Each structure stands twice: as structure tokens, then as C-alpha cells.
Amino acid sequence: MLIRVDPASPLGLADQIAAQVRAAVIGGSLRGGDKLPPARELAAALEVNMHTVLRAYAALRDEGIVDLRRGRGAHVRSDLAEPDRERVALRREVRDLLDRAARIGITPEELVNEIRKALP
Amino acid sequence: MTSPRQLLAALVVLQAPAWAAGVGLALRGDVPDPVPTHWDLAGDVDGTLALPVFTVVVLAVVGAATVLALGLVAASGRRSALASLGAAGATWLAWLPAALYAATLVASADAARAADVRLPLVTILLATLLPFVAALVVHRLLPGPVWREQPLPAESATLALADGERVAWVGQASSRSLLVLGVVLGLGTVPLWFAVWPAALAAGLAAIAVAWVHVVTVRVDDAGVAVSWGPAQWPRLRVGLAEIASAEAGDIEPLRWGGWGYRRTTRGRAAVARRGEGLVLTLRDGQRFAATVDRPEPAAELVNALVVRLSRTAR
């Protein structure tokens, strides 16, 4: 899969890599069971540390998007159903919302309060 | 026209008759007559031939192959696609009997009877390897097939790349059949271990090689394209970005590229794990380089974009 990173971006390199894998899963270009690039290859190609790539993959594992197994590499979870994709997409929007809030000085707690206020 | 490289290749070819004749002349008084010409698996002599007959047969084969090789070396100057491959083959054909003949005579020197002669393993290995080395040298020295039209470099790309942007594409292709074949071959060598272990060793190594090449990894980045084999991505082959004219996604039929694994044919080089889609590069010298890989379209787009960026930044 195609991965781009921008070292000048305020977003960390691992976050940039994770975001693109996440987007590919949501967009459907990565399907359940698909193998992610070997961390060493991707790291060498992007000229980043291998642990940066592994950190990205570990974050995706914690979100339930990929399976990480020693010796087998990283795979998109094959039990990832449509509701899960939706959830992954929603999480991304929440993260974007948090970033946007942080930029205008709203703390996560204040944001939660805003969301509560918006409840019918 | 004859180039210095062709002269060098011809010199390599001529070593075969020269050494066969030289060793024959030098040792003709020191070897038993008849000379041993065949050994059984235990290393005992089980075939002999009169020295003059052995010499004439060997020199006839070596001579014929030498003439053929020299003809093909000359033809390679006329840009015939197959001449350099043919010249390499004929070189091997000339060198093999010459090397075996020389090895036999050297091993037999100073022996009283043919039955006393032993052929050391090192000699066997050298006599088998040297012809391959000679063929490889001849192939390297001669010009490869040349295509008439020069490839046009990719001029525009559908993928936009900023000058300093780091971008990479990594993909793989794997074949379960090759893996299964390797495992089956490997299991097949087990009974061989108890009968002929050298054969088992060779078959075991072949089985490991077959299982190893069942996965091909292709990596595209601003250095070019790197193809590697096996779970550890080794060995690795690189094609520099400056060597690449353009790339496309294509269908790779193993038999048209010479088979599975790593292949060199007149079509170009190929890393093949399975039948089906792959990345096909056209190099600036007109040669092609193909690698099987799943969903190669973005890879081809990226290669073209990188080629365009390279020509932009080089300007």
C-alpha cells in the first residue's frame, strides 16, 4: 500500500502512518485479512525508524483494526465487519474533533461538556 | 565490428581447448593408460578408456563447442538477441569436458593403475563450477539484446508528488503452491538421508529455496524499486530510479518470463512467485523488469511519479 509521510507536519510520523492505514481500511482499499507492509521494509522506504512503524501498527492493534502476530506480521483483522468500519471512521472523526478543539483552546473535558449540552 | 569485450570473451572461450590440450601434452607420460573416466558413488573407478581415445573424444567435443561459441561471440556484435546467451551456453559446453578432462588427468598423474586413482571432492567441485563461471563471464562481456526503439521516459504522472515528500509503496505476492511444493520436496528428502546423503543435501537445499521464494516483496521509494524474497526479505535486488524509464501494471505469465523464482530471459528479468498481476518496469536501456505483486496499479503510478519528480529536480 502507498504511504506518505511529512516530517514537517505537527502530527507524529507514527500517527501519520496509522492514519493512512486507518483511512485505507475505512475506504475499503484494505480488506479483512490483507497483510500490512513488513515494518522493516516500510521503515527503510520512508527513512523512519522501524519502531515508529511498529508503534503505528501497535496503535492500530489497540483500536482493534489489525492483528499483530510475531513471525506473521500485521494483518487487517478478518472479523472486521461493516459496523466496526463505521466505528473506526467515527473514532477518526472524534480524534479530528479533539485536534480542532485543542487548536482553539478547548480541553477534552470542555469538549465532553459541549457534547453533553448538545444532547436532546 | 569486433569490440575489445568480444575479444576478451573469445579469449575466455579459447582457454578451454588450450588447457585441455596443454594438460594432455604435459601429463601424457605420467598417467596410467587406460585412464579412469568414471567413478561410482563410493569413489571407486568403474570405467576406463585408452588415453588416445579419451583425448580425441574430449578434444572433438571441446573443439566443436569452441567453434560454435566463437561464432556466437562474433554474432553478438550484430546485436542478435540470442547470441550472447547462446555463446554462454556453448562456452559452458566447451569448458565442461575440458575441465573434467584436465581434472581427471591431474588426479591420475603418477598413479600406477587406473583403479588407484581417487577424484577429490574439491576437484569435482572446481571442474563443475569453473565452466559456469566461464559462461557467466562470457555472458557479462557480450552486449545484451538491444531493442530498436528507445523507451520514452514517463512524462506525466497521475500521482502528484511534492519535491521533498517521502512516499513509499510496499506490496507482496505469495504463492501457496510453491510453499507446499517446497515442503513436499523437503519431506521427500527425509528417506534419501539414509541412502545417499549428498543427494539429500542437494534436494533439501532445493526444497528450502523453493519454499523461500514463495513470497516476493516489492518496495517502491525514492531510491527506486527493490525486490526481495522470503520472509526475511533476502536476497534483495535493486533497480535504481535513474535506470527506470516507466512502469505499468501488467499480467505476468510465468512461462513467458522463464518460470518461477528469479529469471533472466531475452524479455528481461523477472521475480515471479505466481501467475497474475505484477509491476512491469521498462528500463532506460530498453530491458524490462517484472515482479509479481498484488494490486500493482498504485505502485506503477508511484514509480512514474518518482521518475517525473527525479527528472524535474535534476533539471
Side-chain angles (χ1 to χ4, degrees):
Chain A
M1 69 172 295
L2 190 79
I3 305 259
R4 302 166 175 240
V5 294
D6 178 7
S9 159
L11 202 60
L13 293 171
D15 291 337
Q16 292 182 39
I17 295 168
Q20 287 173 70
V21 174
R22 204 180 292 122
V25 171
I26 295 166
S29 64
L30 271 182
R31 294 182 288 255
D34 278 354
K35 192 168 188 277
L36 296 188
R40 192 152 30 119
E41 285 292 299
L42 189 58
L46 292 171
E47 294 170 61
V48 302
N49 195 299
M50 187 176 84
H51 295 286
T52 306
V53 177
L54 287 175
R55 210 162 59 235
Y57 286 2
L60 293 165
R61 178 198 52 202
D62 295 345
E63 290 173 33
I65 301 176
V66 305
D67 255 344
L68 265 184
R69 270 192 226 140
R70 194 165 255 290
R72 280 200 61 228
H75 290 260
V76 177
R77 277 176 62 165
S78 41
D79 54 357
L80 205 64
E82 202 48 44
D84 294 322
R85 273 182 208 282
E86 294 286 338
R87 190 174 284 261
V88 169
L90 182 69
R91 273 205 206 105
R92 188 177 61 165
E93 280 171 28
V94 169
R95 206 171 316 226
D96 290 347
L97 195 61
L98 278 165
D99 286 347
R100 208 168 136 198
R103 272 202 299 276
I104 52 174
I106 294 178
T107 65
E109 289 73 29
E110 284 167 341
L111 185 64
V112 170
N113 284 334
E114 290 291 333
I115 293 170
R116 284 220 182 85
K117 264 187 238 161
L119 285 176
Chain B
M1 222 186 84
T2 314
S3 72
R5 292 173 79 91
Q6 278 173 292
L7 282 179
L8 272 177
L11 269 179
V12 173
V13 173
L14 286 170
Q15 297 302 308
W19 279 88
V23 171
L25 278 175
L27 296 179
R28 68 184 188 283
D30 304 332
V31 295
D33 195 359
V35 283
T37 51
H38 199 267
W39 285 260
D40 62 17
L41 273 176
D44 294 322
V45 175
D46 65 354
T48 57
L49 217 57
L51 180 61
V53 178
F54 185 37
T55 307
V56 166
V57 169
V58 167
L59 287 183
V61 176
V62 173
T66 303
V67 170
L68 181 66
L70 290 178
L72 287 165
V73 166
S76 72
R78 292 193 289 276
R79 305 197 155 176
S80 161
L82 278 167
S84 63
L85 266 180
T91 305
W92 179 80
L93 212 60
W95 269 67
L96 185 69
L100 291 175
Y101 176 76
T104 307
L105 291 203
V106 169
S108 313
D110 302 325
R113 292 180 315 128
D116 300 338
V117 178
R118 289 279 172 278
L119 207 53
L121 187 65
V122 182
T123 315
I124 300 174
L125 280 179
L126 266 181
T128 330
L129 277 178
L130 273 177
F132 276 110
V133 175
L136 195 70
V137 169
V138 166
H139 188 255
R140 279 290 156 101
L141 282 171
L142 297 179
V146 175
W147 270 258
R148 276 203 181 68
E149 66 238 77
Q150 278 297 307
L152 290 173
E155 278 187 352
S156 63
T158 42
L159 192 76
L161 285 186
D163 279 356
E165 191 178 14
R166 283 193 220 161
V167 55
W169 184 93
V170 179
Q172 289 186 315
S174 67
S175 155
R176 192 155 287 177
S177 334
L178 271 186
L179 181 63
V180 170
L181 181 68
V183 171
V184 170
L185 263 177
L187 291 176
T189 62
V190 175
L192 264 183
W193 278 102
F194 303 101
V196 251
W197 72 264
L201 186 69
L205 288 176
I208 291 171
V210 168
W212 191 261
V213 299
H214 90 278
V215 48
V216 169
T217 305
V218 177
R219 174 176 124 194
V220 181
D221 56 26
D222 54 9
V225 176
V227 173
S228 50
W229 282 267
Q233 283 94 47
W234 181 91
R236 183 186 297 274
L237 215 108
R238 291 168 209 273
V239 182
L241 194 57
E243 292 172 49
I244 302 170
S246 64
E248 59 183 349
D251 219 27
I252 292 168
E253 166 58 48
L255 294 178
R256 296 182 66 189
W257 287 89
W260 284 258
Y262 177 56
R263 297 288 155 172
R264 293 178 82 113
T265 63
T266 51
R267 283 175 82 91
R269 293 177 287 161
V272 180
R274 51 147 177 75
R275 171 172 287 123
E277 55 187 358
L279 179 67
V280 183
L281 306 176
T282 305
L283 307 183
R284 286 188 187 271
D285 62 5
Q287 284 274 19
R288 284 172 167 245
F289 184 97
T292 53
V293 67
D294 294 341
R295 282 175 257 164
E297 292 82 9
E301 266 180 48
L302 178 59
V303 172
N304 288 331
L306 287 166
V307 168
V308 168
R309 179 167 82 173
L310 185 71
S311 60
R312 189 173 64 211
T313 49
R315 230 177 263 151

